Amino acid sequence: YDNGVIDTLSITGRDPRFTNVGDIIFRKIISENNYNELYDLYKFSYSDSSVTLIVDSAYRSSKFTYKLSPDNQKIVYLKDSGFDSQDINIIDINSGVETFIMTIGDEQISEIWLSDIYWSNDSYLYFSVRDSTDLYQLFKINSSGIDDELIQLTSFENGLRMLATNDSHLDKIILVSDSCTYDSTMENCIFAYDFQANQTSYIGYTGGCLPPVIHAWSSDNSKIALGTGWNCFFPGPGLIRTFDLVTGENSWLEFGRFHWEMNLFWV
């Protein structure tokens, strides 16, 4: 879609995204089983309408498929490495050079809370996996492949899980914890992690029946919207909750019914 003109492209796939030169990255499913999929990743070129295979047999677990780097020139994705584990790999779209980052066990990666990998402007990949105490915490690793170990960033007593987002070029990412006090109403507590300051700050909570699934920021980064799922009695869609980080106010969008597999954008 460009200034009112719609061009139907001769390609079929899922999760299309633009590269730095305006070409399109998209994927085609090879096989799928519940939350897990194997897929091929392709590039569609506008210059000659050609389709090029970029990645063969990538691995989708839960909500995470692939992400582009902040400059839209590289891709981070998961590769099935056998023995119940997955490799985090990065590939350069133009050169085809592939970089191995690290291996994560299948027990960790199959969990719903490894739902995203965020590629920050500081060249680090951020995501949540279990620490030595078996709690989910926020970790980072350099996207250059020079780090040999994860760097743990949080040690919250109830654990912290990073929420998925479609946004890029953020200076903060949203985290969620099962609870933050002994008050049972304060469940699914929301925090923001500041990349530059390396600090977490409390925002609010959504309640035990409405676990957050994904988040989106307003254009000035002063507000966030959380898409939730309903997790009581009969699991299903939840609502959308917004938080104003300047005034501290929050509100429910009662008309918005949000499902686990939906995406969320703030326009």
Side-chain angles (χ1 to χ4, degrees):
Y1 176 88
D2 186 9
N3 291 327
V5 178
I6 296 178
D7 182 15
T8 302
L9 306 177
S10 57
I11 55 176
T12 303
R14 295 188 178 189
D15 303 323
R17 296 184 175 100
F18 284 111
T19 71
N20 63 316
V21 295
D23 292 336
I24 290 179
I25 299 295
F26 66 98
R27 67 185 187 94
K28 290 187 175 183
I29 297 174
I30 304 172
S31 65
E32 58 182 328
N33 179 20
N34 295 327
Y35 287 107
N36 302 328
E37 293 177 353
L38 287 180
Y39 65 93
D40 289 340
L41 205 58
Y42 294 89
K43 179 182 73 172
F44 173 82
S45 175
Y46 269 106
S47 61
D48 57 7
S49 297
S50 62
V51 175
T52 305
L53 178 66
I54 301 295
V55 175
D56 177 32
S57 300
Y59 183 86
R60 174 185 182 265
S61 179
S62 183
K63 289 179 68 67
F64 180 75
T65 51
Y66 71 95
K67 279 293 185 70
L68 292 177
S69 59
D71 60 8
N72 288 2
Q73 298 186 49
K74 297 179 181 179
I75 294 169
V76 59
Y77 72 98
L78 304 178
K79 191 81 172 182
D80 193 348
S81 60
F83 302 104
D84 294 327
S85 62
Q86 310 298 324
D87 293 339
I88 298 178
N89 285 3
I90 288 176
I91 190 166
D92 188 291
I93 297 172
N94 298 314
S95 69
V97 174
E98 195 160 358
T99 304
F100 167 77
I101 302 300
M102 65 171 296
T103 299
I104 295 182
D106 191 60
E107 291 182 356
Q108 292 177 317
I109 211 162
S110 62
E111 295 279 354
I112 186 66
W113 295 117
L114 187 62
S115 58
D116 202 19
I117 294 177
Y118 186 77
W119 200 328
S120 178
N121 290 325
D122 61 8
S123 297
Y124 277 90
L125 304 173
Y126 292 80
F127 50 92
S128 298
V129 291
R130 296 183 188 273
D131 64 4
S132 58
T133 65
D134 206 35
L135 290 173
Y136 279 96
Q137 302 290 353
L138 184 66
F139 290 80
K140 72 176 182 178
I141 194 167
N142 199 289
S143 61
S144 65
I146 60 174
D147 291 344
D148 57 357
E149 292 184 358
L150 284 172
I151 301 172
Q152 185 169 342
L153 302 173
T154 62
S155 299
F156 198 71
E157 61 180 355
N158 295 311
L160 286 171
R161 304 179 296 269
M162 191 182 76
L163 290 186
T165 182
N166 294 299
D167 293 335
S168 58
H169 304 285
L170 297 175
D171 56 5
K172 295 179 182 178
I173 199 75
I174 296 300
L175 310 172
V176 60
S177 178
D178 290 336
S179 62
C180 47
T181 69
Y182 290 106
D183 181 354
S184 61
T185 63
M186 295 182 68
E187 297 181 16
N188 290 309
C189 298
I190 311 302
F191 297 83
Y193 180 84
D194 188 306
F195 294 132
Q196 186 172 4
N198 294 322
Q199 292 180 343
T200 56
S201 55
Y202 175 72
I203 293 176
Y205 65 97
T206 59
C209 290
L210 290 160
V213 180
I214 194 171
H215 75 284
W217 292 80
S218 62
S219 58
D220 61 358
N221 288 345
S222 66
K223 301 175 183 178
I224 58 169
L226 302 177
T228 69
W230 178 256
N231 201 34
C232 290
F233 309 111
F234 299 99
L239 306 175
I240 296 175
R241 190 167 198 176
T242 61
F243 291 88
D244 189 316
L245 305 186
V246 177
T247 65
E249 297 177 344
N250 63 84
S251 61
W252 288 104
L253 304 185
E254 299 291 347
F255 58 88
R257 297 291 288 173
F258 194 86
H259 194 267
W260 294 95
E261 292 298 319
M262 287 183 182
N263 275 319
L264 183 63
F265 300 89
W266 192 312
V267 180

